[in-house]
Amino acid sequence: MNDSYLNFVNSPLGARVARSLGLPKPEVLRRYRADAPEFDGIAAVGAGPAPQLLDALAGVIAHLGITSVAHASAGLWVPLANRHGLMTGRFEPTDPAAGSQARVKALVFDASGIDNSAQLDTLYAFFHDALRSLDKSGRIVVLGRPPESSTNPRQWAAQRALEGVTRSLGKEARRGIAANLIYVAPGGEGGIESTLRFFLSPRSAYVSGQVVRIGAAHPAFAADFDWTQPLAGQRAVVTGAARGIGAAIANVLAAQGAHVIGVDIPSATDALDATMRQLGGTALALDIAAPETPAQLAAALDELGVDVVVHNAGVTKDKTIAKMTEAAWRTVIDINLSAQERIDDALLEAGTLRDGGRIVCVSSISGIAGNLGQTNYAASKAGVIGRVQGMAPFLAARRITINAVAPGFIETQMTAKMPLALREAGRRMNSMSQGGQPADVAQTIAWLAHPGSAGVTGQIVRVCGQSLIGA
Ligand SMILES: NC(=O)c1ccc[n+]([C@@H]2O[C@H](COP(=O)([O-])OP(=O)(O)OC[C@H]3O[C@@H](n4cnc5c(N)ncnc54)[C@H](O)[C@@H]3O)[C@@H](O)[C@H]2O)c1
């Protein structure tokens, strides 16, 4: 759906009106486009004491082909960057008084060695100097160690403090800048590329204020691995693929090389067929909640198996609980939660979902924060979060990951139907002051489905522009 306020304040006249009235001016976010370079510009690198991830970072930056500059805090960066063949120089802060332009696309800070609160000063020094130099739609990535891997409480506190810094940076930076924190478990250093790429890329335009953990599982890639087609040769099932977010997921997974099997209810067959035809996928008209569907789906996929399962289909039947019918309660829990459980059971039992596969579920910020009139929906979406957390350890033995995305306000037919005041509130109450696009959710799912994301499991990643709701 069209955000006419965003379009207006980004026109020459609208920008003048917004400035004179002091109105917020949401940025037109830089999103991924196949015809524009995904990575360009300069990344400024800073570090706390004894950084442990700079080497892995240098490897990724070299791979992305971007230039780096070293902040004074990142003493080790220059020799490392030289070793990895990166062009590097010293970071020179932009002087706003001199009117010079912001010129850095990303700020990356390695905080992995910080082990007491006094050392947090290094974050202050870096971001105090560097934040003004960050371009519109720029990226902030802070790298740390999971607090729970700390050897003492002071280290735990200092690593946990990174969440507060990063989330606040996301709220302060504005101008379409996203700030995220990646905790890399000891042993996970070799598995950071898919995640770092995502958070430095325009693909993560609407993901901010998130904390992601990378475990020790290591993907091994051949030197000629094609990062533009990471899902080449894979098969992906997407439920609710006829329209909205599901159609966007199908499109992005197909663009990354997957053969997509789109599932939707029989009454949506025409739309499903059209979507699948356009991306060369296969349409399967099935109601995910029907008792026979899990077996039918497993049988349809059985011969070739499947690598990625995306549980996207979902419905709302909103009413306050006093007015809600039992049928409305049951239908929503059954479609949004129980059907996913039955389908995964069938695909896992039959071995249809291959070892090393990926399950990605679509939750919602309603499942995190609750929402008026949505006891059924919020229960189902919170249940999805529990399912992800509960299943991840059991699936690890088969190297299958399971994660969820929790979208905030996404511009779809569903949100277009909301009353105007609620819709405007939903759109603006986030650090980006705008709604997300279905592609923002789809790109996040593609990162979780990536073969390189083997160390990312049991996680809930919000795609909400850092919504204030449930923050
Ligand atoms: N739009 C948002 O702002 C938003 C926010 C948070 C979460 N979500 C979630 O994202 C997912 C997609 O939402 P959307 O906005 O694209 O919704 P949508 O209504 O546009 O699309 C949902 C699709 O799922 C299909 N579907 C519904 N019941 C089904 C069933 N029993 N079997 C098979 N297919 C079924 C529908 O036919 C439809 O094609 C849902 O799980 C929704 O709860 C959306």
Side-chain angles (χ1 to χ4, degrees):
M1 175 164 174
N2 206 4
D3 183 345
S4 28
Y5 177 78
L6 181 144
N7 295 337
F8 175 66
V9 294
N10 280 289
S11 68
L13 170 67
R16 275 204 306 278
V17 172
R19 229 184 350 263
S20 59
L21 296 178
L23 297 174
K25 183 173 172 288
E27 199 68 40
V28 176
L29 301 182
R30 181 176 173 228
R31 290 189 161 90
Y32 173 76
R33 283 177 28 197
D35 61 354
E38 187 170 354
F39 301 103
D40 59 2
I42 299 172
V45 177
Q52 297 150 22
L53 298 167
L54 285 181
D55 209 1
L57 176 65
V60 176
I61 287 190
H63 226 161
L64 302 184
I66 53 180
T67 306
S68 70
V69 290
H71 183 257
S73 62
L76 285 172
W77 182 252
V78 176
L80 263 171
N82 285 338
R83 198 168 84 222
H84 285 269
L86 301 172
M87 291 230 320
T88 196
R90 289 281 164 197
F91 171 73
E92 311 270 349
T94 305
D95 177 3
S100 47
Q101 291 297 306
R103 59 199 164 76
V104 175
K105 284 276 171 67
L107 301 176
V108 185
F109 189 89
D110 182 352
S112 57
I114 291 182
D115 63 10
N116 67 66
S117 50
Q119 293 173 352
L120 293 167
D121 287 0
T122 52
L123 285 145
Y124 166 79
F126 178 68
F127 288 108
H128 177 77
D129 279 3
L131 193 57
R132 283 202 195 98
S133 305
L134 188 56
D135 211 348
K136 291 175 182 173
S137 284
R139 293 289 182 272
I140 295 170
V141 176
V142 176
L143 298 165
R145 294 295 198 189
E148 58 277 12
S149 70
S150 302
T151 52
N152 65 71
R154 288 196 172 176
Q155 187 183 19
W156 191 309
Q159 287 296 318
R160 182 63 176 76
L162 303 179
E163 281 201 25
V165 181
T166 312
R167 291 191 207 270
S168 300
L169 285 169
K171 292 187 176 181
E172 280 182 17
R174 315 299 291 184
R175 297 183 292 131
I177 291 167
N180 294 286
L181 168 62
I182 306 172
Y183 282 131
V184 183
E189 298 79 5
I192 67 171
E193 181 152 359
S194 65
T195 300
L196 207 47
R197 272 177 182 264
F198 175 69
F199 283 112
L200 290 174
S201 156
R203 294 179 196 268
S204 58
Y206 201 61
V207 183
S208 190
Q210 299 307 292
V211 180
V212 169
R213 283 169 165 74
I214 302 180
H218 260 223
F221 291 118
D224 62 351
F225 180 75
D226 183 354
W227 286 86
T228 65
Q229 292 280 290
L231 301 176
Q234 298 206 4
R235 282 156 52 89
V237 171
V238 180
T239 68
R243 65 176 203 190
I245 294 173
I249 298 167
N251 268 304
V252 169
L253 298 185
Q256 298 200 4
H259 178 85
V260 175
I261 298 113
V263 175
D264 213 301
I265 42 175
S267 60
T269 297
D270 288 351
L272 181 67
D273 285 349
T275 307
M276 290 302 121
R277 220 178 4 257
Q278 182 217 330
L279 52 86
T282 305
L284 272 186
L286 290 172
D287 176 348
I288 57 161
E292 60 281 6
T293 288
Q296 285 178 345
L297 188 57
L301 298 171
D302 206 26
E303 214 161 287
L304 294 169
V306 68
D307 306 277
V308 178
V309 177
V310 182
H311 293 291
N312 162 75
V315 293
T316 50
K317 289 197 183 297
D318 296 357
K319 277 268 186 302
T320 53
I321 198 157
K323 294 186 181 151
M324 188 183 292
T325 63
E326 193 176 344
W329 173 273
R330 285 209 179 137
T331 304
V332 169
I333 302 274
D334 195 46
I335 294 175
N336 295 3
L337 176 58
S338 316
Q340 293 189 12
E341 296 173 326
R342 294 192 294 266
I343 287 172
D344 282 352
D345 283 353
L347 298 183
L348 287 165
E349 266 164 37
T352 314
L353 177 60
R354 280 195 268 275
D355 287 2
R358 303 275 182 270
I359 302 173
V360 189
C361 307
V362 179
S363 176
S364 164
I365 55 169
S366 283
I368 294 169
N371 201 10
L372 192 153
Q374 291 199 320
T375 47
N376 51 356
Y377 182 75
S380 70
K381 295 296 186 181
V384 165
I385 292 173
R387 200 169 94 74
V388 162
Q389 293 169 335
M391 280 181 77
F394 293 100
L395 295 176
R398 289 175 59 180
R399 296 179 293 103
I400 295 171
T401 67
I402 180 166
N403 296 285
V405 295
F409 183 99
I410 306 295
E411 304 280 359
T412 62
Q413 291 182 29
M414 191 175 105
T415 47
K417 286 193 206 122
M418 289 166 73
L420 178 70
L422 264 184
R423 188 167 69 228
E424 268 309 290
R427 261 191 189 139
R428 307 288 165 222
M429 283 171 58
N430 59 72
S431 295
M432 304 290 172
S433 304
Q434 60 193 285
Q437 297 294 329
D440 297 328
V441 181
Q443 294 287 0
T444 310
I445 288 174
W447 152 57
L448 294 167
H450 195 290
S453 303
V456 183
T457 192
Q459 319 253 327
I460 315 306
V461 182
R462 295 170 53 148
V463 185
C464 64
Q466 198 177 25
S467 170
L468 301 179
I469 299 166

